[in-house]
Amino acid sequence: MYRVLLMNHKGYTLIESLFQLVIFALFVQLFVLFFYWKAPIERQYTNMTGAAWEMFVVDLQEELINVQSFTLYPGASGLEVKTERGNIRIEQKNNVIRKTVDGQGHIPLLTNVSSLKFTRNDSTLFAVAEMLDGTTKERDFEIGLYLQ
């Protein structure tokens, strides 16, 4: 009778399987919560056109603070300003709005642009950019002309 009561403890018991099931259920919940959190973050960081446009606005307004002369290109797709640093051109080339200083360097200011149009009214510059995704961005800029 003594031999019948001895059990083999090397097997897989019901309590062990329930314990593993509880741990698995906790990991599944964390997994689902991760994807629930990830979706809005991914949407926010994959669409950076708003942030890129705002950085372009800041860069362009900085160039227009102390301007000695201001010229719009024919067709209003670019502009040239003369400042203390030299002649600065801002124009669209392919899908990029770029800046050159004294004809040197090509600094990209904004990418993924399908068209760009400038309009001047006294000391105000109005810019309209159509992006490749079809959205339209608009902004007014103040031109700070000063006499030498």
Side-chain angles (χ1 to χ4, degrees), residues 8 14 26 41-43 45 53 60-61 97 103 111 142:
N8 187 359
L14 178 64
L26 289 174
I41 299 297
E42 194 171 77
R43 276 193 306 270
Y45 286 119
W53 171 254
L60 182 56
Q61 185 61 63
I97 299 175
T111 58
E142 290 300 318

Side-chain angles (χ1 to χ4, degrees), residues 18 20 45 53 80 91 98 102 120 128:
L18 290 176
Q20 288 183 356
Y45 286 119
W53 171 254
E80 185 171 343
E91 60 190 347
R98 65 183 190 175
D102 290 329
R120 182 179 178 188
V128 177

Side-chain angles (χ1 to χ4, degrees), residues 63 85 88-90 97-101 105-109:
E63 297 299 339
R85 295 183 340 174
I88 299 173
R89 287 183 169 182
I90 297 176
I97 299 175
R98 65 183 190 175
K99 173 176 81 170
T100 59
V101 179
H106 299 283
I107 303 164
L109 297 177

Side-chain angles (χ1 to χ4, degrees), residues 77-78 90-99 106 108-117 129-132:
S77 64
I90 297 176
E91 60 190 347
Q92 181 180 357
K93 187 73 170 181
N94 297 327
N95 295 328
V96 178
I97 299 175
R98 65 183 190 175
K99 173 176 81 170
H106 299 283
L109 297 177
L110 185 62
T111 58
N112 299 324
V113 178
S114 115
S115 69
L116 173 67
K117 210 52 112 165
E130 185 176 336
M131 309 306 280
L132 289 178

Side-chain angles (χ1 to χ4, degrees), residues 5 9 14 16 19 22 29 32 35 41 49 56 70 72-73 77 81 119 123 125 147:
L5 293 177
H9 289 10
L14 178 64
E16 290 174 334
F19 182 69
V22 168
Q29 288 179 357
V32 169
F35 282 104
I41 299 297
T49 57
F56 166 72
F70 180 90
L72 277 179
Y73 287 168
S77 64
V81 293
T119 309
S123 65
L125 178 69
L147 300 173

Side-chain angles (χ1 to χ4, degrees), residues 16-77:
E16 290 174 334
S17 64
L18 290 176
F19 182 69
Q20 288 183 356
L21 183 64
V22 168
I23 291 174
F24 177 73
L26 289 174
F27 277 121
V28 166
Q29 288 179 357
L30 290 175
F31 191 70
V32 169
L33 284 175
F34 171 75
F35 282 104
Y36 182 73
W37 168 81
K38 180 183 176 259
I41 299 297
E42 194 171 77
R43 276 193 306 270
Q44 180 180 0
Y45 286 119
T46 55
N47 187 4
M48 296 297 288
T49 57
W53 171 254
E54 293 302 322
M55 290 181 353
F56 166 72
V57 165
V58 169
D59 289 340
L60 182 56
Q61 185 61 63
E62 183 179 329
E63 297 299 339
L64 297 174
I65 291 175
N66 292 322
V67 175
Q68 297 169 358
S69 69
F70 180 90
T71 308
L72 277 179
Y73 287 168
S77 64

